[in-house]
Amino acid sequence: MDESRLGKYELRGTLGRGAMGTVYEGWDSIIDRKVAIKTLRLPDAADEEAQEELARFKREAQVAGRLNHPNIVGVFDYGETPELAYIVMEFIDGTSLKSVMDKQERFPIPEVLRVMEQLLAGLQFSHDRDVVHRDIKPANIMLTSAGQVKIADFGIARIESSSMTQAGTVMGTPAYMSPEQFMGQTVDARTDLYSSGVMLYQLLTGERPFEGSMSAIMHKALNVAPPRPSDLSVTAPQALDAIVAKAMAKRPEQRFANADEMSRALRQAVENPGAAPAAGPVDDAEATMVRPQRPASAAAAPPSPPAPAPVPPAASPTPAKSGAPVKLIAGIAVAVLIVLGGAGWFLLAPRHPAQDLAALNTTPPAPAPALPGSSPGSEPVPTPAPTPPAPPTALTPPSAPQPASPPPAPLAPPAALQVTPASMLAALGGVGCSLATPGMPDAGHVVLDGIAGSGTPETTLRRLATEAAGGLPLSWRVRTFSGPYCDALNVIRPADAGRFGMALKGNAVQLRKNDNIVIQFTMPDFPAHLQIDYFSSDGSVTHLVGDDGANVSIMTSDGWKVIGPSHVSRSGAAMPIGEPDPKTHDGSWQVDEPFGTDMIVAIASEAPLFGALRAADDTTAAYLPALQAALGARSRGERVASQALIVDTTPN
C-alpha cells in the first residue's frame, strides 16, 4: 500500500489509531476538500468476529451516506483495497463532546439547550429516514470549532428495513443503553431518546446516572430511578427534572413520542420553567435517594451505626496481578515534606535544610484540598427551611380583664442551627462502604466530601446526611464508585478519629499512562506517621509509603527503599508526596497497566501502624486482616485519621 495515498485521496496525517484501524487526515484533490478517512483492515474470512466488525463498518457507510443533515457527520465515499476498507467522511475541525466533559468543563444551561436541540434535530432527521443510531453518547457527538453539533459513528445503527440487527442482539455502550437494549429486544427511535436523556443528565450534573460494571448498570437501568439532576447540581433547573425523567422512562411508550417533542419540551422548560410539569414521584421500590426534607423530629438521635462488615479471610487471597497499576521507579527523588516540631525535610529531595525551614516558617499551611469528584466552587443544594412551631396561646378567664399583650418571647433557634461537623460525623460514621467528611464553611450550610460505593451505600449516606443536616442546605461532593473497595473502607472507618485533606495534584480524578501520581496532603490536627497504600481493582495492593517505627521507606521497582528515620508529620502540615524531582524531572510513581478504577488510602496515626514493612507483592485479602489488627491496637488511646480517594486510570 502506498502510504501517501488511498485510492484517489492524498493522506496528509494521522488523526487517531485504534485496535481495528486508523483514521487519517486526507485531501480530495479533485474537488479541493479536506476529508477524514476511516480505515479498517480486512479480516480473514474465517474470523467471524472480525467479519461482523467489517459488516458494521460497511453499515456505517451505508447508513450515514444516506443522511445529509448539518447535525450529522457526512459520509462521502466507501472503498476497498486488497488490505483495507475505508470510509471517506466530512473532516471535523473540533473535538468530541466526551473530550470536553472529561476535562470537567461544565456547560451553562443555554449551552446545554443548544447542544441538545442540535442533537435532537439530527436524530429526528435520522429517525424520519428509519435509521436508529443505538449508540448515542458523548464520544459519538462531535463539536466543531464553531460549536456546531454533529452526530458520528453509525456503525451499529439499525435500519428499520434491515435484518442485520434482530431482536436478541445486545449492542451499545452500557452507561447509555436503554432497558430494551439490555434485554435484547427490538429497538426503535425511542431508544435514542433514552440515551439522549442520559446525555442531558450528564450535561446537567457532570455525572452519568448509572455507574458500575455492565451487570450493575443493567440492574439499575431496569429497576432503579436515578437521583434527580437538581438534587445533584444547584445549576440544574428543577423544571428539567421532568424532561430527564420522561426521556429515561423504563418503558418506551412512557418516553417522548419523537425527538422533536423532546426538543420542544426542553426549550419550554428552560424558557418558561413555571409551565413545565414537575417531575413525577419516584416509586419507593425504585428509589435511589431521598429528596431533602426536614426530619420528623429534629431532636431525634441518628440511627445506630451498623457493625462494620467482616474482612474477608486471608485464607482465600486474591491472586496477584501480572502488572502493578503504579510504575515504581527506583533511585529517583520523591519530594515528601515531613514536618516535626516546625522543622521540615524532603524525603529523597536534594534540598538545603535551611531552605526548607525558611519555607515552613513563611508559608502558611494550605487549606485542605477538595476531594476528587468535587466541583470547584460548587454551591450548596438548597433544602426547604424548617417552619418554626407557633408559640402556645395563653388562655385568660372570661371574667378577668384582658391585659395588654406582652411582646412574644423569642423562639428557640431551629435544631438545624445546632448541627456541627461532629454531629454529622457521628450520624454518618456507620454507613458501610463509605468514607465521608462533613464540613461547615459557615453556620448556614453543610458540605459533604468523600467517597461511597454506588447503589445502597450512596443512597443510605445521602439519606442520613440530609436528615443529620436538619434542614440546612447540603452541598453533595461525594464521589461514587464501583469496585472491590468496600471491605477496605469498612476496615479503616471504625478506627477513624478524624479526616485530613488529600487529593491528586490539581484535583485530578483521572490519570493516563505514565502520568505522575502526586498526592497533596494537609495533615490532621495531631502529629502523625503516614502509611499510604494503592489498591487496584484486581485485588493487589501497592504500598507507596511505610513507617515501621525505625525508618520511613518508599516503594520502588527494586522494592522498599529507606529514605530517612521514622518521623511524624507536623499537625496541619501541607505537603506534596510524589512530586517529580526538579533536576531529573522524573517521578517516583507513574500510572501503568492494568487500567481502571483504583483507590489510594492514606492513614495518619500517632504511632506507626506496623513494626515491619509489608511485602511488595501484597494483596487485599492478606493485607486487610493485618491492617484491621493494627488499627485495633491503635484505637486504644492513640488517634488515627484516614482518607481515601478514587482514581480512574486510562491507557491514553
Side-chain angles (χ1 to χ4, degrees), residues 85-445:
Y86 62 91
I87 300 174
V88 181
M89 303 179 296
E90 176 184 2
F91 181 87
I92 303 298
D93 181 15
T95 186
S96 70
L97 181 60
K98 180 180 184 298
S99 297
V100 177
M101 298 178 75
D102 283 349
K103 297 176 182 177
Q104 307 299 312
E105 296 184 16
R106 299 293 290 274
F107 291 79
I109 296 303
E111 186 69 3
V112 171
L113 175 63
R114 189 186 67 81
V115 169
M116 290 300 301
E117 283 186 324
Q118 293 191 28
L119 165 65
L120 292 168
L123 286 177
Q124 186 65 53
F125 184 87
S126 170
H127 296 163
D128 286 344
R129 284 147 187 82
D130 296 327
V131 175
V132 182
H133 190 285
R134 299 203 307 165
D135 198 19
I136 293 297
K137 60 184 179 181
N140 287 338
I141 307 301
M142 305 301 296
L143 299 176
T144 70
S145 56
Q148 187 176 14
V149 173
K150 287 184 174 285
I151 306 170
D153 199 349
F154 282 80
I156 67 169
R158 182 178 189 273
I159 305 174
E160 291 302 320
S161 60
S162 171
S163 62
M164 292 190 69
T165 53
Q166 297 289 351
T169 303
V170 179
M171 304 185 75
T173 303
Y176 302 89
M177 284 169 58
S178 65
E180 59 268 28
Q181 280 180 290
F182 277 115
M183 293 187 290
Q185 298 174 347
T186 302
V187 301
D188 59 22
R190 292 170 295 186
T191 200
D192 285 346
L193 301 186
Y194 179 95
S195 303
S196 300
V198 175
M199 262 191 47
L200 174 58
Y201 189 104
Q202 192 173 1
L203 285 168
L204 293 172
T205 67
E207 302 177 16
R208 294 181 297 196
F210 303 130
E211 298 281 5
S213 64
M214 180 170 179
S215 60
I217 294 175
M218 177 178 178
H219 170 76
K220 295 172 186 177
L222 295 176
N223 302 291
V224 175
R228 295 173 175 86
S230 63
D231 289 329
L232 298 183
S233 172
V234 294
T235 62
Q238 290 186 355
L240 296 186
D241 290 345
I243 308 299
V244 171
K246 186 168 184 177
M248 291 183 60
K250 307 298 183 189
R251 299 179 181 276
E253 62 270 18
Q254 295 175 342
R255 299 175 202 150
F256 294 99
N258 53 55
D260 279 347
E261 181 184 339
M262 180 175 174
S263 182
R264 290 193 299 270
L266 185 59
R267 174 162 287 278
Q268 181 184 23
V270 171
E271 295 183 347
N272 189 14
V282 179
D283 184 3
D284 288 343
E286 296 183 351
T288 60
M289 66 163 292
V290 177
R291 291 180 66 83
Q293 59 183 340
R294 175 97 172 143
S297 173
S304 300
V311 180
S316 55
T318 304
K321 62 182 177 181
S322 57
V326 182
K327 185 183 296 181
L328 304 166
I329 303 175
I332 54 182
V334 187
V336 183
L337 177 57
I338 304 295
V339 186
L340 175 61
W345 57 286
F346 285 85
L347 301 181
L348 287 187
R351 303 175 184 268
H352 194 283
Q355 296 173 340
D356 296 335
L357 183 58
L360 285 175
N361 290 336
T362 58
T363 305
L371 289 176
S374 65
S375 301
S378 62
E379 297 297 328
V381 179
T383 54
T387 303
T393 303
L395 299 179
T396 305
S399 58
Q402 296 290 333
S405 299
L411 297 177
L417 298 181
Q418 308 304 317
V419 175
T420 65
S423 68
M424 291 286 297
L425 190 62
L428 305 177
V431 180
C433 195
S434 70
L435 198 65
T437 307
M440 296 183 68
D442 56 63
H445 86 278

Side-chain angles (χ1 to χ4, degrees), residues 408-495:
L411 297 177
L417 298 181
Q418 308 304 317
V419 175
T420 65
S423 68
M424 291 286 297
L425 190 62
L428 305 177
V431 180
C433 195
S434 70
L435 198 65
T437 307
M440 296 183 68
D442 56 63
H445 86 278
V446 179
V447 176
L448 192 65
D449 287 294
I451 63 175
S454 58
T456 300
E458 177 195 8
T459 304
T460 304
L461 186 67
R462 189 184 291 272
R463 175 176 59 81
L464 293 180
T466 302
E467 294 175 356
L472 289 180
L474 174 65
S475 292
W476 182 261
R477 298 177 183 173
V478 176
R479 187 178 181 202
T480 57
F481 66 90
S482 294
Y485 305 125
C486 291
D487 288 332
L489 294 177
N490 291 340
V491 165
I492 65 177
R493 191 186 61 259

Side-chain angles (χ1 to χ4, degrees), residues 170 276 278 300 311 523 555 559 561 641:
V170 179
V311 180
M523 294 300 294
M555 185 65 71
K561 180 174 182 179

Side-chain angles (χ1 to χ4, degrees), residues 9-11 15 23-28 31 33-38 76 87-92:
Y9 303 98
E10 176 186 346
L11 302 182
L15 299 176
V23 180
Y24 296 98
E25 178 185 331
W27 182 259
D28 186 341
I31 57 176
R33 176 171 60 183
K34 185 186 292 188
V35 295
I37 304 175
K38 186 176 181 180
F76 307 139
I87 300 174
V88 181
M89 303 179 296
E90 176 184 2
F91 181 87
I92 303 298

